Each structure stands twice: as structure tokens, then as C-alpha cells.
Amino acid sequence: MASSATVGSDSDPVRALQHALYRAAKVDPRRRFHALRDKVFRRDVLWRAWVAVRANNGAPGVDKTTLAEIEQYGIDRLLDELASELREGTYRPLPLRRVWIPKPGVKERRPLSIPAVRDRIVQSATKIVLEPIFEADMADCSFGFRPKRSPHDALQVLVDEAWRGRRWVVETDIANCFSAIPHEELMQAVEERVSDHAMLGLLRAMLRAGVLSDGVVRREVSGTPQGGPISPLLCNVYLHRIDRAWDVRVHGVLVRFADDAVVMCRSRQQAEAALARLRQLLSELGLEAKAAKTRIVHVTEGGEGLDFLGFHHRWVRAEGRTGGKGVAFLARWPADKAMQHARDRIREMTGRNRAVLRVERIVGEINAFLRGWAGYFRYGNSSQRFEKIRTYAVMRIAGFLAKKHKRRRGFGRWVIAFASDNQLGLIRLDGTVVAPRPFRAWRVTPKAGGERRR
């Protein structure tokens, strides 16, 4: 699939550069690129990298320099300094700042390693140059962190393949993928396409920058830490070795979203063979499947279903229009973890410690969250679960009002129901869902009134 950089490049020098790199890599799959670092410190590339970093609005790194402080210091001044350091070969990235963030819907936390703003700019510029080259090689089964690809593209494959009869599913998650990728093997994968020693040296410097945790800088020999702009690309470059070795005819249809994967198979025997093959390929890469998240599921009517990319997937049968036996299909709706994540966020926004705030602000924050959450899950059979989340939001706002005015919860429910003609402006989620259909584009306009889930 072509990179997003391959269109509209005539009036955009950066896109023109990406288009040229993509086209050269696509035409000659054996070509190794030998002059790349000079493109990283091109002023227009660095500026585009800054725009991406600023839009992401991330936290400061170990130097505690914020985006606002960078703007005060002078963006042009900083980019000139970075270009000079990269040109002269004196650029050295700072260690990354380690923070731990909760995983949605569970008590576990995952590590996030945050580069300094200046290092994020360099990583983004490096990604701008390298991504078109590796994008030319990527397989159709890979969907995560790629231009013009989304989780819903991956989810559509499940709908299509289940309809074709591939309903024995291997589901797995690569254990500690981002922190377990061996540096040397990763660099060997990069070197299949890149021979520029200066660029390779820059990548090695990023990998060896280390992580500052509890006042100590730890430099590992493995891992491309989550949190840096370059990490998802490097992860895909390494895991591409699985994609290109996969035989669909023998082992079924692989669907990989970064370190999360399923394989759609026609029989239990094929699913068992697919799981064995997947474990073999991971072992060859120095990785392994997470035992707790690896299993074979038969997606069948009355079965347990599976979770993938935030959705729960289950084979269901719709009720016929005349009450008879309707059509069976793969339905999906927000998984239990996604529902718990939504409740947790709404509970945080309506907590007792926020009772001093105006209710209009609380409702505005909840609306902003619900728009984003429902915007993702609307492409599914999600009406019933949407109603549950909205009902929960109403309950929490009622409780917030009761705490704010030191009244009983019934007072809050009365205010929402009768003191406002639109429930204080809380958005509605009904009528917004788009039910998935096999072999049809998922980006379609929803019909009024929503859809039937079961």
C-alpha cells in the first residue's frame, strides 16, 4: 500500500522527497539506500518534524524542557542548532524519561519512555525519511502505525474472513515486544534497506540513549522504547520478518496490528499449525507470545468469542424479519475492558475532588471524551453498550451535582431531567453506529436510528 507521502507531492518538497524514496524502494526491492542522513537535517524536514511533535503535545523529557519553553526559546533557533549538530555528527540524544501509565481496563501498568523535545524532533525527522523506504516493503497483513491504515481496516479483515469460513482463530500478543526487540537483530533488519553508515549510527545512538529511572540511566541491549516517534516504525521493520515468512495458504490469514495479532483459519488443525508456526517465527526473532493472551478460539454461534483491538467479536444470528431464522454474521461491540476504561475516565472527571468546578465544564469534558470513544466504537454493533455508557455518565453527573450542592443524588437526577431541556448538554450516542458488513467499506454514513446488535 502506498505511503501517504506518495500523493500531492508536487507543491510540497517533503512529500516529494518521500514520494521519490518510496518509488525508488518499490521499483527495486533489493536497493540499499546510501545517502539519507543529509535528508534528516534538511530544514524543511526538521520543520515538518517539529509540526508533528507540537501537534502531539507530549510531556517534557529528562531535561524538563516543555513545548512552550521551546517556542519561547525560538523554534528556528533550535532547528538551526539541531541541523548543525546532525550535519557535523555531534548530535547525541539525551536519556529517556521513564513513566508508568495504567493499561485501560486492567490494574497493570506499562512503561512509557519519553524523549526530550529536541530528540523527538530528530526522531520524527528520521521517521519522515525512513518510513517511505520501509513502507514499500510492508505486507498487507500489517496494519499498526502505518500510513493510510487504521484499526478498522484490520477489523474488516476479520469480518470478511469469518464470512469466508475462517472461524478458527488464533489470538496472541507478543510479550514485552517493544522492550524485547534485540538491538543488533533490529539493526540487521534496517540494514537490509539502509547502507548509510551515518544514518545507521544515528539510529544506534537513539537505541542506546538509555532510560532514566529512579535517578539511574540504564542502557539495554534490547528494546525500542514506547514513547518515541521512531519506535513504532522500528517495531514494524523488525516484525515484518514474520509477515514476509507467513504462508496464508498453509497457515491461514494473519492480521497483525503492531504486537497484537490474530490468525483466521478454516479448521482446528490449521489453527494449531498456525500457532506453532507463529511461535517458531517469534523464537527466531528472540521474542515470544504472551501465554495469558494466546489461545485458539472457535468463533461459532453460542461460543465465547474473542477480543481484538478494543472490540469483542462474536458470531451471532440476527432475527429474521418474519421471526424466522435470520442470517449469521460476525458482530462486534466494545469489549469489557473498553467499557471499564470508559467508566473509569467518566468517574475521574466527576470525582469529589472536582466539585468546585462548574457542571458545564464537567459535561464538556465528558462530551469530549465520549465523542472520541464513541467515534472509534461506532463502527460496530455497539448501540446497547453505548446506551450503558451514557446512562453511567448521567448517573455520575447526578452524583456530582448532589455532592456539589450537598444534596441527595435524587436532586442531581431531577436537575438533569427537569431543570434542563437537553440533559445539561450531554451528547447522545444513539443513532451513531455503523454495523460492519462483509466485503464492504467500513467508512459509511450511519442510518438514522442506529442498528440492531443481535
Side-chain angles (χ1 to χ4, degrees):
M1 185 175 185
S3 166
S4 60
T6 63
V7 294
S9 60
D10 292 344
S11 59
D12 186 334
V14 176
R15 284 183 177 269
L17 167 66
Q18 291 183 300
H19 177 70
L21 291 169
Y22 175 86
R23 185 171 54 190
K26 198 71 175 177
V27 167
D28 185 0
R30 291 180 170 273
R31 177 171 177 175
R32 298 176 71 218
F33 291 76
H34 66 278
L36 294 174
R37 190 188 61 165
D38 62 312
K39 298 168 179 60
V40 174
F41 57 74
R42 265 178 43 169
R43 185 52 186 274
D44 53 352
V45 172
L46 285 172
W47 178 261
R48 183 66 56 82
W50 157 254
V51 170
V53 170
R54 188 65 184 90
N56 196 47
N57 198 29
V62 294
D63 62 354
K64 300 181 181 179
T65 302
T66 65
L67 291 164
E69 289 171 335
I70 291 290
E71 291 172 328
Q72 186 176 11
Y73 179 79
I75 300 166
D76 289 336
R77 181 180 173 188
L78 175 64
L79 297 185
D80 285 342
E81 292 172 359
L82 288 174
S84 177
E85 291 179 21
L86 289 165
R87 185 182 301 108
E88 296 168 7
T90 60
Y91 168 78
R92 297 292 182 273
L94 295 171
L96 290 75
R97 181 168 69 90
R98 172 61 53 84
V99 297
W100 294 86
I101 62 175
K103 291 185 176 181
V106 295
K107 294 182 179 180
E108 293 181 67
R109 297 190 303 164
R110 64 181 177 91
L112 194 66
S113 303
I114 304 175
V117 175
R118 68 193 309 273
D119 296 329
R120 296 208 293 273
I121 295 172
V122 174
Q123 286 195 26
S124 293
T126 304
K127 179 186 175 185
I128 287 170
V129 174
L130 289 180
E131 185 173 61
I133 297 170
F134 291 104
E135 180 65 21
D137 297 332
M138 294 294 174
D140 289 341
C141 65
S142 171
F143 293 89
F145 308 110
R146 290 184 58 194
K148 288 191 171 182
R149 292 205 147 199
S150 78
H152 291 288
D153 293 317
L155 293 166
Q156 186 62 41
V157 176
L158 270 64
V159 174
D160 295 346
E161 295 305 323
W163 189 262
R164 288 189 174 107
R166 292 187 172 95
R167 297 202 291 273
W168 284 91
V169 184
V170 178
E171 59 171 327
T172 191
D173 189 353
I174 302 173
N176 305 313
C177 178
F178 281 86
S179 60
I181 295 175
H183 288 174
E184 285 307 312
E185 285 79 356
L186 170 60
M187 291 307 300
Q188 289 173 15
V190 173
E191 288 170 13
E192 291 181 12
R193 276 300 204 169
V194 178
S195 61
D196 183 343
H197 291 290
M199 175 64 91
L200 295 172
L202 178 60
L203 287 174
R204 285 193 174 93
M206 293 175 184
L207 292 173
R208 294 172 180 170
V211 176
L212 180 65
S213 181
D214 299 325
V216 178
V217 176
R218 294 178 172 84
R219 290 182 169 85
E220 306 290 346
V221 296
S222 65
T224 171
Q226 284 181 279
I230 196 72
S231 294
L233 173 62
L234 295 179
C235 177
N236 271 337
V237 168
Y238 194 59
L239 296 183
H240 174 66
R241 294 184 167 192
I242 295 175
D243 304 339
R244 70 186 183 190
W246 195 259
D247 189 323
V248 173
R249 184 181 60 82
V250 175
H251 295 117
V253 175
L254 173 66
V255 182
R256 184 178 66 78
F257 196 94
D259 56 347
D260 202 0
V262 298
V263 186
M264 308 291 288
C265 303
R266 292 192 180 277
S267 66
R268 171 175 283 279
Q269 291 77 11
Q270 188 180 45
E272 290 172 347
L275 180 54
R277 177 60 172 157
L278 195 56
R279 282 176 168 152
Q280 176 193 355
L281 291 171
L282 288 172
S283 178
E284 292 172 0
L285 296 179
L287 304 171
E288 62 181 1
K290 187 178 294 185
K293 292 190 176 181
T294 301
R295 62 175 185 152
I296 295 174
V297 181
H298 188 199
V299 179
T300 186
E301 192 173 347
E304 57 183 326
L306 73 148
D307 291 353
F308 184 58
L309 299 182
F311 282 93
H312 179 73
H313 305 259
R314 191 172 295 191
W315 193 257
V316 302
R317 187 174 297 277
E319 183 179 332
R321 292 185 177 180
T322 58
K325 197 173 183 180
V327 65
F329 61 98
L330 186 68
R332 64 173 182 253
W333 50 82
D336 290 344
K337 287 183 180 180
M339 295 288 287
Q340 188 59 51
H341 170 63
R343 295 188 194 97
D344 290 345
R345 287 289 294 117
I346 294 170
R347 186 168 59 250
E348 289 173 9
M349 289 183 278
T350 55
R352 184 181 297 273
N353 62 325
R354 310 193 81 209
V356 297
L357 301 176
R358 292 173 59 85
V359 68
E360 291 84 0
R361 175 174 171 181
I362 300 300
V363 172
E365 291 179 2
I366 293 174
N367 282 345
F369 168 73
L370 289 179
R371 285 190 186 96
W373 189 83
Y376 178 79
F377 288 107
R378 68 187 289 253
Y379 295 100
N381 313 80
S382 306
S383 293
Q384 290 184 14
R385 295 218 156 187
F386 275 14
E387 185 57 32
K388 288 181 179 179
I389 290 301
R390 193 181 187 279
T391 299
Y392 181 79
V394 170
M395 181 194 73
R396 290 297 304 182
I397 293 171
F400 171 84
L401 287 167
K403 290 192 288 280
K404 185 176 181 65
H405 296 281
K406 298 180 181 179
R407 304 282 292 272
R408 295 181 182 275
R409 188 181 292 271
F411 168 79
R413 290 196 293 266
W414 179 87
V415 171
I416 295 173
F418 300 108
S420 168
D421 58 2
N422 63 352
Q423 293 192 319
L424 300 178
L426 183 67
I427 63 172
R428 304 196 65 87
L429 302 179
D430 55 324
T432 66
V433 296
V434 180
R437 295 289 185 268
F439 316 115
R440 294 186 185 178
W442 59 268
R443 289 187 180 91
V444 294
T445 303
K447 294 181 180 179
E451 43 67 40
R452 292 180 298 173
R453 196 185 94 176
R454 303 191 187 196

